[in-house]
Amino acid sequence: MFADNVKVKLSNNNELEVPQETTLLHVAKIIGSSFSKKAALGYVNGELKELNYVLKEDCKVKFITFEDQEAEESIRYTLSFLMSYIIQNQFEGIEIADIGVNNEDFYCDFQTTIKNLNKDDLKHLNKSLNKLIVSNPTIEVSEVSIETAKQVLGDKKYMKYHVENNEDSKVRIAKIGTYTSLISYPIISNLAKLKNYKLKNISSTNWLRDVNNEPLQRISGIAFSSRDALKEHEAFLEKYENINHRKIGKELNLFTFSDYAPGMPFYKHNGQIIRLELQNLLRRLQFEEDYEEVYTPFIMNESLWKDSGHWDHYKDNMYFTEVDDIKYSLKPMNCPGHMLIYKNEHHSYRDLPIRMAEFGQVHRHELSGSLNGLFRVRTFNQDDAHIYVSKNQIESEILNVLNLIDKVYTIFGFDYSIELSTRPDDYMGDISLWNFAEESLENVLNYNDLEYTINEKDGAFYGPKIDIHIKDALGRSHQCGTIQLDFQMPEKFDLNYINENNEKEKPVVIHRAIYGSIDRFLGILLEHYSGKLPLWLSPNQVNIIPVNNKMHLDHVEKIKKQLKSKGIRVNVDKSEEKMGYKIRNAQVKKVPYTVVIGDDEVNNNTLSVRKHGGNSEQTFEVYDFIEKAIEEKNIL
């Protein structure tokens, strides 16, 4: 081979020999002209690169087509960069703050000193973006040192911030003409593949998503690799708008938010009923499995989190206060409190496993721009449990937890998938214990023929974990349940038990959550059921409507007492609205049963019952309806 040539080994194990300074695009063309049109990016020795990347040494290459997920991420990121170019060049007094991708969205954040952009500007930007894509300008991408980047970016303070807070010695910049921007993701070279997008919103945000920082504007859009995928997502968004949990929460009078406590939900009576029902369901199931429920303080000494090892990983997301010159913090998780409870008593191997559960309220500081209804909040209720076991109990106890998770998710009709997350780079503890822990989790999954995927390096800092992803009625995946194996906390807190040989031995801790966050799980359920909750979970289970308040209300109140005495939640509509309106209102409120009582019902001691979603009424004897409601309510 000539010294100025390089060897390229492809993913199919074929090898090519090409001159130095050959681009990835040229290699794709050698493979085939039709293939080069499909190629979007390429992995070079495991690093994702643009097609105009120049090969300088022998390497392994794997091409990414426009159908792959990496390509869609890059499509969106390229559109965010192009949007920043247009905004910077077409409006005065603009400084770009950030560009990026968030799931299907791409966005550009910017500061304006002259005027805020509006919806009319959004239409103008959309036309300009179309023209730019058609013109297909050359985008130059280069990797430069931190000092060079500062010189190139000049007085762009936001971009300079990103450069100065970059942990690498080099950064990447992209350039169109005289416009230059810092980038953090590969750029698509063929702009013709960027046509399947839609600008959808212009909104307010803050620098670094912190309400205390400078106000910014954000333009966001959605993008996909194909027109069909874009249309499908738009149809999904239209459908989702009708079942958005925030909309349902307002309609059913479940919860609200206040500027006095951003990201912290206020649950009204109806919402609190649902939260308590979710807790009580799990409380009953945990009781059957011999869990002991505990309660730990919201605020604990700051030193506790340093001792536990959480400080280095969570301090930036914690809330702090000071009392009598002592620093305290609101707990971001329940683990250390449970360790203190265990440590407070002496334990024997005969006591194990000890299953300790808590519905603990935790607080985590989330950036204001990331807050999203019940899905992303700053305080939430966690169905936490910590199970203290000996090493030979690990696998059987993990299987018990998996069975409990299956039981709970089956009640709600969720399909789910399992993911095993392995040792992260910033792991704590001895690697031999990590290997043992990972092998234990794998054994449980393999011996019980449970399908799972492996998520490399995504374990907790103290141990590997099994994450459970539920799939809702819209086909979306949500990570809720988790099982985490921990050898580190017992070391940190010097936890022990007396083994069979009358010697001290450290237990292993299994961290376990099923809902994860009751608040987030509630939001998922509202959208999964489109607000039509099953009877046992509905805040109002029966709505009674008297035909005439003066003539029938006394009888209605007797029926109400009978139902309530059997634990059925009842509302009486005493309003003076017309009957048709009252029935429609009960349907809008998604009440499972609407009961109408008039002369016939009073005289015959019967009930005229309409089930939610039904168009007809059915007559029941009072006793028969109560038995039916009890049976349906106690279906669990």
Side-chain angles (χ1 to χ4, degrees):
M1 186 179 93
F2 296 107
D4 57 352
N5 282 0
V6 296
K7 282 185 178 180
V8 178
K9 187 174 183 178
L10 302 175
S11 57
N12 61 5
N13 290 325
N14 289 341
E15 286 192 4
L16 300 175
E17 190 173 318
V18 297
Q20 279 188 347
E21 306 301 317
T22 296
T23 64
L24 275 178
L25 179 59
H26 184 68
V27 174
K29 288 179 178 178
I30 293 174
I31 295 173
S33 59
S34 61
F35 177 79
S36 66
K37 293 177 183 177
K38 296 178 181 178
L41 306 160
Y43 279 105
V44 179
N45 292 332
E47 292 187 15
L48 197 59
K49 301 292 185 182
E50 289 88 1
L51 290 183
N52 61 7
Y53 178 78
V54 175
L55 303 178
K56 298 180 180 178
E57 58 186 10
D58 295 351
C59 57
K60 292 181 180 180
V61 170
K62 176 186 175 183
F63 283 100
I64 300 299
T65 71
F66 282 100
E67 296 176 356
D68 294 316
Q69 183 66 35
E70 292 97 329
E72 286 205 333
E73 290 284 307
S74 205
I75 285 170
R76 293 168 188 142
Y77 193 83
T78 305
L79 284 165
S80 72
F81 167 70
L82 296 178
M83 182 56 60
S84 72
Y85 164 75
I86 293 170
I87 294 171
Q88 183 75 72
N89 282 276
Q90 293 193 0
F91 297 94
E92 294 183 5
I94 293 286
E95 182 171 352
I96 304 300
D98 197 14
I99 60 175
V101 175
N102 182 20
N103 296 323
E104 292 82 11
D105 291 1
F106 63 90
Y107 63 87
C108 174
D109 292 348
F110 55 92
Q111 184 181 51
T112 172
T113 58
I114 296 180
K115 78 174 188 73
N116 284 336
L117 304 193
N118 54 41
K119 290 184 178 180
D120 291 335
D121 295 314
L122 197 64
K123 295 177 183 177
H124 173 72
L125 288 168
N126 195 64
K127 292 179 181 179
S128 298
L129 187 52
N130 275 329
K131 289 180 181 178
L132 184 63
I133 289 171
V134 170
S135 68
N136 200 18
T138 299
I139 302 176
E140 299 177 17
V141 177
S142 58
E143 189 174 71
V144 299
S145 68
I146 297 294
E147 289 306 315
T148 300
K150 288 181 181 179
Q151 293 173 11
V152 170
L153 294 171
D155 59 354
K156 297 177 181 178
K157 66 176 181 180
Y158 296 113
M159 290 294 170
K160 274 192 170 182
Y161 173 88
H162 291 307
V163 171
E164 290 169 352
N165 285 273
N166 191 291
E167 295 180 356
D168 298 325
S169 60
K170 291 187 176 183
V171 294
R172 302 175 73 246
I173 58 174
K175 187 176 181 182
I176 300 180
T178 59
Y179 175 72
T180 303
S181 174
L182 185 71
I183 61 170
S184 58
Y185 206 79
I187 297 288
I188 296 292
S189 306
N190 184 2
L191 300 191
K193 295 293 185 178
L194 308 183
K195 293 179 180 178
N196 304 309
Y197 77 91
K198 183 177 181 180
L199 298 184
K200 66 174 187 176
N201 197 25
I202 183 164
S203 58
S204 299
T205 184
N206 293 85
W207 170 233
L208 300 180
R209 318 293 181 268
D210 188 332
V211 70
N212 297 311
N213 291 341
E214 304 99 293
L216 304 173
Q217 282 196 284
R218 165 175 288 191
I219 289 180
S220 59
I222 54 175
F224 292 86
S225 57
S226 70
R227 175 61 58 180
D228 288 344
L230 176 62
K231 288 182 178 179
E232 184 179 328
H233 188 71
E234 287 182 306
F236 167 81
L237 290 178
E238 185 176 345
K239 180 181 179 181
Y240 177 67
E241 191 58 35
N242 294 321
I243 62 153
N244 186 309
H245 74 278
R246 286 169 291 186
K247 179 174 182 287
I248 293 172
K250 186 174 182 179
E251 290 174 349
L252 303 189
N253 202 29
L254 303 181
F255 56 85
T256 188
F257 288 89
S258 169
D259 290 340
Y260 287 106
M264 301 183 186
F266 290 71
Y267 285 96
K268 301 182 180 181
H269 178 61
N270 285 350
Q272 179 65 355
I273 287 174
I274 299 174
R275 292 177 79 247
L276 291 175
E277 287 288 0
L278 290 174
Q279 287 184 1
N280 289 336
L281 166 65
L282 193 51
R283 189 171 274 125
R284 289 197 300 272
L285 295 175
Q286 289 177 165
F287 177 78
E288 295 171 3
E289 298 293 331
D290 292 328
Y291 280 81
E292 301 172 350
E293 189 168 336
V294 300
Y295 175 87
T296 57
F298 285 10
I299 299 176
M300 287 179 272
N301 193 297
E302 191 178 280
S303 63
L304 173 66
W305 311 100
K306 295 176 181 177
D307 293 342
S308 70
H310 287 91
W311 183 262
D312 293 334
H313 301 268
Y314 284 95
K315 67 177 182 295
D316 293 336
N317 295 98
M318 293 170 65
Y319 293 97
F320 303 97
T321 187
E322 190 170 309
V323 181
D324 297 333
D325 297 325
I326 299 174
K327 294 181 178 179
Y328 293 85
S329 61
L330 280 167
K331 64 177 178 180
M333 70 283 298
N334 301 300
C335 323
H338 291 192
M339 305 303 143
L340 294 180
I341 290 178
Y342 180 94
K343 188 177 177 67
N344 192 54
E345 296 180 11
H346 295 289
H347 302 282
S348 160
Y349 70 94
R350 296 185 183 89
D351 301 325
L352 305 183
I354 294 173
R355 305 179 183 100
M356 192 181 297
E358 179 178 11
F359 295 102
Q361 197 71 20
V362 299
H363 293 75
R364 298 180 187 175
H365 178 249
E366 301 286 354
L367 297 174
S368 59
S370 67
L371 300 177
N372 178 16
L374 298 180
F375 287 167
R376 181 63 68 88
V377 292
R378 286 175 170 167
T379 182
F380 56 94
N381 192 263
Q382 204 169 37
D383 63 309
D384 238 344
H386 294 90
I387 306 171
Y388 302 85
V389 298
S390 61
K391 284 187 179 180
N392 62 7
Q393 293 173 325
I394 290 174
E395 295 184 15
S396 61
E397 198 61 29
I398 288 174
L399 181 59
N400 289 342
V401 174
L402 285 169
N403 288 335
L404 179 58
I405 289 173
D406 179 75
K407 189 180 295 185
V408 173
Y409 290 172
T410 299
I411 288 170
F412 296 106
F414 285 125
D415 292 329
Y416 62 87
S417 58
I418 300 173
E419 181 180 77
L420 173 61
S421 298
T422 58
R423 184 179 67 251
D425 291 331
D426 61 344
Y427 72 93
M428 178 192 295
D430 185 86
I431 196 167
S432 64
L433 290 176
W434 273 88
N435 292 337
F436 176 81
E438 289 179 5
E439 183 180 347
S440 298
L441 296 181
E442 285 181 336
N443 286 343
V444 176
L445 297 173
N446 291 332
Y447 292 165
N448 293 280
D449 295 324
L450 297 171
E451 293 184 6
Y452 65 96
T453 58
I454 295 180
N455 189 7
E456 296 284 356
K457 298 185 177 184
D458 198 45
F461 69 90
Y462 48 73
K465 60 179 179 172
I466 294 173
D467 285 333
I468 315 295
H469 298 259
I470 60 175
K471 185 171 284 188
D472 66 16
L474 291 177
R476 298 170 303 175
S477 180
H478 306 271
Q479 192 271 305
C480 293
T482 188
I483 306 169
Q484 302 173 4
L485 205 51
D486 181 4
F487 291 85
Q488 312 310 321
M489 291 289 162
E491 290 286 347
K492 289 283 185 180
F493 286 92
D494 192 25
L495 306 183
N496 298 286
Y497 69 93
I498 303 301
N499 65 20
E500 295 94 329
N501 300 318
N502 204 33
E503 298 169 337
K504 281 187 177 182
E505 188 170 334
K506 298 206 174 299
V508 180
V509 174
I510 299 172
H511 301 246
R512 183 236 71 185
I514 297 177
Y515 298 138
S517 156
I518 288 180
D519 307 76
R520 180 167 171 264
F521 196 81
L522 195 161
I524 293 169
L525 283 180
L526 291 176
E527 296 183 358
H528 179 63
Y529 287 123
S530 301
K532 294 174 281 191
L533 299 172
L535 183 77
W536 69 273
L537 200 52
S538 296
N540 183 15
Q541 296 168 329
V542 177
N543 193 55
I544 306 180
I545 303 175
V547 173
N548 185 298
N549 284 346
K550 292 181 180 179
M551 298 173 60
H552 307 129
L553 193 55
D554 287 344
H555 185 76
V556 164
E557 290 294 340
K558 291 178 183 178
I559 301 298
K560 176 183 175 181
K561 286 183 178 179
Q562 286 180 266
L563 288 165
K564 290 191 71 174
S565 71
K566 300 298 182 180
I568 297 167
R569 294 186 285 272
V570 187
N571 175 67
V572 175
D573 189 341
K574 302 177 184 178
S575 69
E576 297 298 331
E577 300 288 350
K578 293 181 179 179
M579 180 61 62
Y581 175 86
K582 290 183 179 183
I583 292 174
R584 284 194 301 275
N585 187 53
Q587 294 292 303
V588 169
K589 297 295 185 184
K590 299 177 173 56
V591 181
Y593 289 105
T594 298
V595 174
V596 176
I597 295 180
D599 288 340
D600 289 344
E601 288 76 24
V602 172
N603 295 332
N604 299 315
N605 198 30
T606 58
L607 302 174
S608 181
V609 180
R610 182 191 297 261
K611 192 169 185 177
H612 181 270
N615 295 318
S616 59
E617 296 178 348
Q618 187 175 357
T619 300
F620 283 87
E621 297 286 340
V622 173
Y623 175 81
D624 290 340
F625 177 70
I626 290 175
E627 287 298 303
K628 173 181 172 59
I630 291 173
E631 184 179 353
E632 189 173 340
K633 177 176 178 290
N634 297 332
I635 195 169
L636 302 179

